[in-house]
Amino acid sequence: MTVTTLNTDTISPAAVTAIGERFREPTWLRQAREAAWETFTATPWPTYTEETWRRTRLTGFDLADFTLATEPVPAVSSRRQLPRKMSANLRKMDSGGALVFQDASLIYAELDPELAVRGVIFTDLRTALVEHEELVRTYLGAQVLAADNKFAALHYALWQNGTFLYVPRHVTVEKPFQVLIQLSPGKAAFHHSLIIAEENSELTIAEDYLGAARGMSDTVVELYPLAAARLHYLHLQNLDTTAWNFATMRSSVYRDALYRHLQASWGSRLSKVWIDLNLEEPGSHGELLGLYFPQGRQHIDHHTNQNHKRPRGTSDLLFKGALDDASRSVYQGIIRVWPHAQKTDAYQKNDNLLLSEQARADSIPGLEIQADDVRCTHGATSAKVQDEYVFYLMARGLSRKTAKRMIVSGFFEEVLNRVPVPGVRHKLEAEIARRVGLE
Amino acid sequence: MTAVLEVKDLHVSVGDNEILKGVSLTVRQGEVHALMGPNGSGKSTMAYAIAGHPHYQVTSGDILFNGQSILDLEPDERAKLGIFLAFQYPVAIPGVSFANFLRAAVSSVRGYKDRARAEVAQGGKREIGSELMPMREFRKELLAKMDRFNVDRSFAQRYLNDGFSGGEKKRGEVLQMAMLEPKIAILDESDSGLDIDALRVVADGINKLVADGMGALLITHYQRILNYVKPDKVSIFYKGRVVLTGGPELAHVLEEKGYGWVEKELAVEPA
Ligand SMILES: Nc1ncnc2c1ncn2[C@@H]1O[C@H](COP(=O)(O)OP(=O)(O)OP(=O)(O)O)[C@@H](O)[C@H]1O
Ligand SMILES: [Mg+2]
C-alpha cells in the first residue's frame, strides 16, 4: 500500500495523472483514466433539452466547488476504535463482513475467516487491484462505460477507491456484507463498487452512503450475478441534504440468475440515479425496489431500465416515494423487450404520496416492446394523504400526527416487507419514522 | 356517573347544502337507542358530525357530552371522552396492521400517551414505548376479546380493513369498539350486509358491551337486528330531523307501514 498523498486536489487532468501515479497503477488503468477524461471533456454538460434531464436542472452545480481527497486516513484494527456513530451503525446488522471507508481510504475491514477460506474476497478496490489484478481488469468498467453519461466519464477518470466483493462458484453466503462510505464535507467522491457473484453463488450486500455536506458523490456500481447466482444489493443513500449525488448502477443478469436491488434515496440536495437491469440470458430475473422521501427542497431523480434481451426473463419494479414540503421527485422508467425475448414478464410501478401542496412528483413510465409473446404491465399513481383515512384513525383516538405517520408508514410497507435483511428494514423504518416526525 | 350524549337542534351543512335541519336526540350510557330513517335522510351525516368529521359544518345547535359542548374538539379528543363511531363504510388503510393501529388507539384513549407526556414534562426521561400500552398486556387483552367477540385471530396481522369482506369489516368495527370501551357508541348500520351468523355475532357483541354499561345509538334500516338487540327507545329520522321517538313498538309500526305513513301521519312537510 502506498502512503504518498495526491499532489493536486482539484478536478483537472493533472489529478487524473496524479491518481495513476500515486497508486502506481498498471498502464491499462492509467490509459482508461485518460480516455475517460477525454470522454468527459468531449461530452457536453446536460441541458434540459435532453429528455433525461428535462426535469432535473443542475443550477448551482460547479465542479470548482469541490476538492479531491488527497490524504490517506489511517486505518483502525477494531470496531471500538471507529467513531461511535460508525460502530453503532455497523451493529445494526449482523454481517459476514464489513468495510468502512472514509472518503477514498479504507479505514476498517472485517471478514468472517470462514468465508475467506471458502474463497470470498471482500476488500477495497485498491487492494483487489494489487492482489487480484486480473479479476478487476475483467470486470471493472465492463458494465458501466465512461461513455454512458458525463458523470460516469468523470467517475472513471477520477475514482480512487471502492468496494470489491467476489463470491466464488457454489458458495452461498447467508449473512449480508455491509459497507459504510463516509464522505467529508466539500469533497468530490468517486466510490466504485464491483460485485461479482460467480455461478450458483449467493450474496447480499448493503452499502450505506453518509456525509458529503456541500460535496458531491459520483458513484458507479457494477454488479455481476453470473449463471444461477442470487445477488441482493441494497443501496442506502443517506448523504447530507446539501450534497450533490450522481450514481450509475448496472447489473447484468445471466442464465437463471436472480438480481434484487433496493434503492433507498433519503439524502442529497439533488440526486440523479440511473439503475439498469440487463437480463442478458434466458430465464434471468430481476427485482428493483425503491424508496424515497424528499423534504425541504430536495430533488430526487431515478431512471430505471428493465432491459429484457433474452426469453423467459422476469422483472418486477416497485418504486414508492412520499414527498413533503417543496420537494420534487422524478421517476423515469422503461421496460425494453428485445426481439426474440419471448415469454418476458415485466412489471413496473411507481407510487407517490404527496404530503404537501408544494411537493411535486413526475412519473414517466415507458414501454418499448419488440416481441409478441410477452406480458408487460406498468403504472404510476400520485395521491395525497386521504382525509377519510386520517378521520377514521382520529375517530379511534389517534392524534392527527400519529394518524398521518401511520398512513405514510403503511404506504411504504409494501416495499419494506420485501426487504431481505431485517437490519436494513429496521434502518429504513427508523428513517421513515424520523421523516414523518416523532411528535 | 352515567354519561349522556345530547344532540340539540343540530344543523349541519356540506358545502352550501344543508343536510341536518334541527336534529335533537339523547343517548345515555347503558341504553340502546335505535334510529331508523330512509336512505339519504342524513343519519350518517349526523354520525359524522358527532364524531367530528371536518367536512361537515355545524351551522347551529350543539352536541353535548355530559353537558359540555364537544363542537370545538378534534375527533381524537372526542374519542378520548368515550365516543365511538362504528362506520357504515370503514375505510381500508393499506400497510397499517390492525394490531399496531389498535394498540396505538387503545394507548391513546386509555391515556398511556398523555401520562408519558406528563412525565416527560415534569423532567422524566422519555422512554421508548412508554406511550404505548405494554405489548404483552395488549396482546393478552386483544386475544381474549377476539375470542369473546368471535373475531378470527388472523385479523390482528392483517392490514386495516384491506381486502376485508363487508362482514369482516363490521366485525372488525365491533372488535375495535370492544377494545376502546367507549361510553357511547354510534353504530352506523353495523347490521347491513351481514349474513345471519355474522348478524348474531355483531348483535351479541353489542349486547355484551351494553351489559357492561355502554350506551348505543343503533342506526339501522331493519327490524331484523332489533330482534337481537332490544332497544329502549326508537326514533324515526326523516329529511334531516328526528320526527318521532317512542318505545320498541315503533319499529314494528314502521316496518309495517313504511315511510309514506310517516309523511302523511306526521304531516312532515316535504323538503
Ligand atoms: N360529503 C358529502 N358531500 C356531499 N353530499 C353529502 C356528503 N355526505 C352526505 N351528503 C348528502 O347528504 C344526504 C344525507 O346523506 P347521509 O349519508 O347522511 O344519509 P343516510 O341517512 O346515512 O343514508 P343511508 O341510509 O343511505 O346510509 C345525501 O343526500 C347525501 O348525498
Ligand atoms: Mg348512512
Side-chain angles (χ1 to χ4, degrees), chain B residues 39-40 42-45 88-89 188-189 219 221:
Chain B
N39 292 132
K43 304 179 297 297
S44 295
T45 300
Q88 182 176 2
Y89 305 110
D188 194 358
E189 297 197 26
I219 300 173
H221 286 293

Side-chain angles (χ1 to χ4, degrees), chain B:
Chain B
M1 192 184 89
T2 326
V4 189
L5 178 75
E6 292 166 278
V7 178
K8 292 198 154 163
D9 193 26
L10 192 69
H11 291 251
V12 169
S13 299
V14 177
D16 294 335
N17 205 355
E18 180 165 78
I19 297 165
L20 300 190
K21 299 164 180 167
V23 177
S24 296
L25 64 79
T26 302
V27 192
R28 281 170 215 285
Q29 239 185 314
E31 76 176 28
V32 176
H33 189 155
L35 187 70
M36 306 180 83
N39 292 132
S41 57
K43 304 179 297 297
S44 295
T45 300
M46 183 192 66
Y48 278 140
I50 294 172
H53 196 302
H55 292 179
Y56 297 82
Q57 304 110 32
V58 174
T59 52
S60 71
D62 211 342
I63 305 171
L64 307 176
F65 189 77
N66 293 339
Q68 300 277 329
S69 174
I70 59 168
L71 289 183
D72 290 337
L73 301 183
E74 290 279 343
D76 56 322
E77 296 169 312
R78 301 185 194 200
K80 286 190 207 169
L81 286 180
I83 298 170
F84 180 91
L85 168 61
F87 283 62
Q88 182 176 2
Y89 305 110
V91 291
I93 308 187
V96 173
S97 98
F98 195 94
N100 285 349
F101 146 71
L102 195 51
R103 184 172 169 221
V106 167
S107 303
S108 173
V109 165
R110 295 194 193 166
Y112 282 90
K113 195 166 164 177
D114 292 340
R115 280 194 295 277
R117 291 282 154 88
E119 272 167 37
V120 173
Q122 283 166 18
K125 250 183 75 182
R126 183 171 177 165
E127 283 174 52
I128 292 166
S130 65
E131 299 195 343
L132 289 173
M133 179 175 178
M135 192 56 176
R136 287 174 57 134
E137 263 176 61
F138 172 76
R139 268 190 67 80
K140 206 173 142 206
E141 184 178 331
L142 180 63
L143 291 176
K145 287 192 170 162
M146 285 178 139
D147 294 348
R148 182 165 184 237
F149 290 88
N150 271 298
V151 172
D152 197 276
R153 287 191 171 195
S154 66
F155 264 55
Q157 303 316 319
R158 292 174 69 180
Y159 295 142
L160 193 50
N161 298 324
D162 197 25
F164 281 31
S165 75
E168 284 172 336
K169 284 183 189 165
K170 303 265 154 133
R171 287 181 189 223
E173 296 287 286
V174 171
L175 177 63
Q176 291 182 47
M177 181 166 71
M179 289 296 291
L180 292 169
E181 301 172 324
K183 296 192 172 84
I184 305 286
I186 298 135
L187 296 138
D188 194 358
E189 297 197 26
S190 296
D191 59 333
S192 65
L194 298 184
D195 65 36
I196 193 69
D197 291 342
L199 180 72
R200 280 210 189 96
V201 166
V202 166
D204 179 58
I206 297 168
N207 283 332
K208 282 173 177 159
L209 292 168
V210 171
D212 292 346
M214 185 181 82
L217 180 66
L218 198 65
I219 300 173
T220 181
H221 286 293
Y222 309 105
Q223 165 64 35
R224 193 171 74 139
I225 191 168
L226 302 180
N227 295 332
Y228 299 98
V229 182
K230 293 289 171 216
D232 300 287
K233 277 190 278 185
V234 175
S235 287
I236 297 177
F237 203 92
Y238 201 74
K239 293 183 177 160
R241 257 184 227 126
V242 173
V243 291
L244 187 64
T245 298
E249 71 289 345
L250 193 53
H252 293 280
V253 179
L254 189 64
E255 183 120 306
E256 251 167 61
K257 302 190 172 170
Y259 291 109
W261 165 76
V262 175
E263 197 158 308
K264 271 192 233 122
E265 216 47 31
L266 299 169
V268 185
E269 72 271 29

Side-chain angles (χ1 to χ4, degrees), chain A residues 164-211:
Chain A
F164 185 82
L165 173 59
Y166 175 88
V167 174
R169 296 173 62 185
H170 307 307
V171 172
T172 293
V173 185
E174 301 278 349
K175 288 188 183 173
F177 296 93
Q178 60 175 329
V179 182
L180 300 185
I181 301 142
Q182 179 75 48
L183 304 175
S184 300
K187 294 264 186 286
F190 302 92
H191 193 87
H192 192 102
S193 297
L194 201 52
I195 296 159
I196 303 137
E198 280 274 17
E199 199 182 314
N200 192 36
S201 68
E202 175 154 8
L203 70 87
T204 303
I205 177 168
E207 295 198 287
D208 208 337
Y209 279 79
L210 305 149

